[in-house]
Amino acid sequence: MVHEDRNLTVRAMDDDDEFGVWLSELTHDYPVSPDLVLEDRHLLLSDEVGDWIGGLRYTVRGGVASILEIGVTPVERGQGHAVRLLEGFEEAARASGAHLLEFWTDRLGLELILAANGWQRVATRPGYIGGRTWYLLEKALAVPA
């Protein structure tokens, strides 16, 4: 491998849409895992006048749909909106051809909500992100015949 004597710099990038688009285009044809392109997708929960009250960010890669973030505004919590978002996530994941849903969380209390909807804990990682214990929850989807 030939290295030219050049003054190159590696640095952190702030949230910059232009760079993100450039990098996405650059790696689209040559992803880390060929044929397993990773894209962020979003689901929005809004009320009758269109105000945003919750949302979910996820990816689908190689048939695995992963929740990255889920949230409901504080005044709307406790009304089943997170479950509604999870149901929408499952529907969107199925439509994308996913066979497995997964969600890493450090909030063990979410396990009860997820378990009631067919999810199960498959891994526990003590001292993981932020030094806290994290749990991997997943749900297998039936593959249509």
Side-chain angles (χ1 to χ4, degrees):
M1 191 177 251
V2 177
H3 294 279
E4 297 177 26
D5 188 17
R6 296 169 61 190
N7 187 18
L8 304 177
T9 303
V10 174
R11 62 186 171 91
M13 276 298 294
D14 292 330
D15 188 15
D16 180 287
D17 287 337
E18 187 176 334
F19 177 77
V21 169
W22 175 84
L23 183 59
S24 178
E25 289 173 354
L26 176 69
T27 60
H28 186 268
D29 291 334
Y30 302 99
V32 173
S33 300
D35 301 323
L36 300 181
V37 176
L38 184 65
E39 291 179 22
D40 277 0
R41 300 173 186 199
H42 298 86
L43 297 176
L44 167 65
L45 179 63
S46 59
D47 64 15
E48 59 280 351
V49 295
D51 290 338
W52 301 347
I53 59 174
L56 187 145
R57 182 170 67 100
Y58 69 102
T59 62
V60 178
R61 187 177 205 173
V64 178
S66 303
I67 296 173
L68 302 175
E69 297 177 301
I70 183 171
V72 175
T73 60
V75 298
E76 295 286 346
R77 291 182 185 152
Q79 300 181 49
H81 298 321
V83 172
R84 195 172 268 169
L85 283 165
L86 288 170
E87 290 167 350
F89 166 65
E90 184 173 334
E91 185 178 316
R94 280 183 198 281
S96 295
H99 65 276
L100 183 69
L101 308 178
E102 69 176 18
F103 183 36
W104 277 101
T105 183
D106 63 342
R107 296 182 185 168
L108 193 54
L110 294 176
E111 185 174 16
L112 295 173
I113 295 169
L114 293 166
N117 289 284
W119 294 67
Q120 63 182 358
R121 185 185 336 166
V122 294
T124 301
R125 301 256 341 239
Y128 193 41
I129 300 169
R132 295 186 305 274
T133 300
W134 284 71
Y135 309 94
L136 175 60
L137 301 153
E138 70 177 30
K139 180 177 181 177
L141 299 177
V143 179

